[in-house]
Amino acid sequence: MVRKILHVDMDAFYASVEQRDDPQLRGKPVVVAWRGKRSVVCAASYEARRFGVHSAMPAVRAERLCPDAIFVPPDFVRYRAASLGVREIFHRYTDLIEPLSLDEAYLDVTENKLALPTATRVAKAIRQQIRDELNLTASAGVAPNKFLAKIASDWRKPDGLFVIQPADVNAFLLPLPVGRIPGVGKVTEERLRQIGVQKVGDLQALQPAALEAQFGRYGHRLYELARGIDDNQVIPDRPTKSISAEDTFERDMPLSETGELIHRLAEKVWTAARKESRVARTVVLKLKTSQFSILTRSHTPTSPPASCAELTAIALSLRERISLGADQRFRLVGVGLSNFRVTETLQSPLFQEIENPLQAWCVKPESE
């Protein structure tokens, strides 16, 4: 059976929520970010994007590109509430929902709850209900698999719908630049260009052995994607692999002065981890130097951290494994938990709360 997959992506989600809730912001260049030398853009309205502003850009650069931009500090409580409203609409049509972030998700509607005859009808209905009930817009892609649906959702943004029929897959893929393949970043794109590959059609001409020689296991994945092959299923409520929090300093600081922030980040991570139904065994400390080099240190104790204090103590102890000298300065620190496992007896305070089944829809930041 040919699968029917949707990829639904909210349009400029955080900025759109701000414009929806404050009529004075509508039609204006809105940048969701804290002001400051080290702040980064969380989201930008389409009015701001016309000036080249985009998410993950330093806020100071966004201000230079768009001097008239209106900066709004992020309010994740409202963004999560809107996100949960979107997911409630999804559940009217299918329970096979795989959230990727607050603002996007895959849906398998091969069979839908309302027995609508086509996936296109489902996508239209979902987008209309998001508009009518939440006063927000979403773009959607409809295709036989996740890989193609992801590309399709971006084809007519914002507020668009694009459908790739099974019979049209090859004709659609052949002229695409290889950089449109999800997972092909600038480095891989340049390596492909060096072997004469610029379009997906060029990629189709290469044999699996040649691609695997260049890219290892990912070479076989490229061979399949160039032909529109993607057997990955939509997995609802995918287990959390890691939980982390990080922050950038206003000024570069020595390692010895990072303790207070490590405490605060550990508290955030611990609060989030208590909503999981599994236990995390590994503590991770992340640091970024003033030269933008990233360092990580991790520790897996004999028994998982049983309290926020224990998590903090382990994170602080990981600093001792950094040996770059007292003169080294750092611009960012992060604390994380990973290596989640199911335990037979849930005695740890980590499990005093049961995970909200909608929590997975509220984990990652907004995508571009």
Side-chain angles (χ1 to χ4, degrees):
M1 181 183 297
V2 176
R3 291 184 297 163
K4 301 176 183 179
I5 307 298
L6 308 186
H7 180 260
V8 181
D9 195 359
M10 302 298 295
D11 298 319
F13 184 50
Y14 299 170
S16 295
V17 171
E18 296 295 344
Q19 290 177 317
R20 178 195 68 179
D21 295 347
D22 184 351
Q24 295 183 5
L25 298 178
R26 294 172 190 170
K28 297 179 180 179
V30 174
V31 176
V32 179
W34 289 280
R35 288 185 179 272
K37 294 181 179 179
R38 298 300 181 83
S39 178
V40 296
V41 174
C42 296
S45 69
Y46 283 96
E47 294 84 357
R49 293 185 188 188
R50 296 192 187 106
F51 293 85
V53 179
H54 57 78
S55 62
M57 171 184 288
V60 290
R61 186 182 176 201
E63 196 167 8
R64 287 197 301 268
L65 290 172
C66 186
D68 295 329
I70 301 171
F71 280 74
V72 179
D75 184 345
F76 290 101
V77 173
R78 284 191 294 122
Y79 307 153
R80 289 189 178 98
S83 181
L84 290 173
V86 172
R87 189 169 184 188
E88 192 278 325
I89 291 173
F90 291 166
H91 270 291
R92 298 172 192 173
Y93 299 88
T94 180
D95 291 326
L96 295 177
I97 304 165
E98 182 179 337
L100 302 179
S101 62
L102 279 172
D103 65 324
E104 61 176 322
Y106 289 112
L107 291 74
D108 188 329
V109 295
T110 307
E111 297 180 1
N112 66 84
K113 294 179 179 179
L114 301 186
L116 295 177
T118 66
T120 303
R121 288 275 298 275
V122 175
K124 288 180 178 178
I126 287 174
R127 292 177 61 247
Q128 189 62 49
Q129 289 179 338
I130 289 173
R131 181 189 297 275
D132 293 344
E133 299 177 25
L134 303 176
N135 198 20
L136 296 168
T137 64
S139 296
V142 182
N145 58 49
K146 294 167 70 174
F147 157 62
L148 293 168
K150 174 77 171 176
I151 295 178
S153 68
D154 193 48
W155 207 250
R156 289 182 178 161
K157 260 186 168 293
D159 195 19
L161 171 64
F162 189 72
V163 180
I164 303 175
Q165 298 288 355
D168 300 331
V169 169
N170 202 50
F172 173 80
L173 285 175
L174 284 174
L176 282 186
V178 289
R180 294 300 297 266
I181 297 177
V184 174
K186 292 182 179 180
V187 174
T188 303
E189 188 174 8
E190 175 59 23
R191 289 178 64 190
L192 287 166
R193 188 193 65 78
Q194 291 173 0
I195 61 174
V197 174
Q198 298 187 56
K199 306 287 186 182
V200 174
D202 303 328
L203 193 58
Q204 282 193 11
L206 298 180
Q207 295 300 312
L211 287 168
E212 289 176 15
Q214 286 282 339
F215 301 100
R217 293 177 60 186
Y218 186 57
H220 182 73
R221 176 70 171 162
L222 285 173
Y223 178 85
E224 290 186 330
L225 294 181
R227 288 157 177 77
I229 299 170
D230 179 21
D231 294 327
N232 288 327
Q233 296 182 357
V234 173
I235 302 176
D237 299 319
R238 186 186 293 274
T240 301
K241 292 183 178 180
S242 64
I243 294 174
S244 63
E246 61 184 44
D247 205 351
T248 303
F249 311 134
E250 286 291 332
R251 59 175 180 82
D252 295 343
M253 65 173 59
L255 192 63
S256 59
E257 296 181 15
T258 60
E260 182 179 349
L261 184 54
I262 289 176
H263 273 278
R264 293 204 303 268
L265 294 174
E267 289 174 357
K268 289 183 179 180
V269 171
W270 183 256
T271 299
R274 289 185 65 192
K275 298 177 182 179
E276 289 292 321
S277 58
R278 301 179 304 150
V279 65
R281 299 189 57 84
T282 301
V283 180
V284 181
L285 179 69
K286 172 184 175 181
L287 292 159
K288 183 184 291 185
T289 70
S290 54
Q291 296 79 30
F292 293 89
S293 296
I294 296 177
L295 309 172
T296 58
R297 299 293 184 269
S298 63
H299 176 62
T300 303
T302 305
S303 57
S307 67
C308 182
E310 188 176 347
L311 168 62
T312 304
I314 294 173
L316 290 170
S317 70
L318 290 172
R319 289 191 306 174
E320 301 174 7
R321 291 167 50 184
I322 306 294
S323 55
L324 296 181
D327 294 334
Q328 178 64 59
R329 294 295 185 268
F330 296 86
R331 60 182 288 115
L332 174 147
V333 67
V335 175
L337 283 169
S338 63
N339 192 17
F340 280 84
R341 303 291 177 83
V342 176
T343 57
E344 294 182 1
T345 56
L346 306 182
Q347 297 177 343
S348 165
L350 191 62
F351 299 104
Q352 290 180 358
E353 294 183 19
I354 300 300
E355 180 187 13
N356 185 323
L358 301 182
Q359 178 70 20
W361 178 239
C362 308
V363 174
K364 299 180 184 176
E366 179 193 21
S367 67
E368 191 64 22

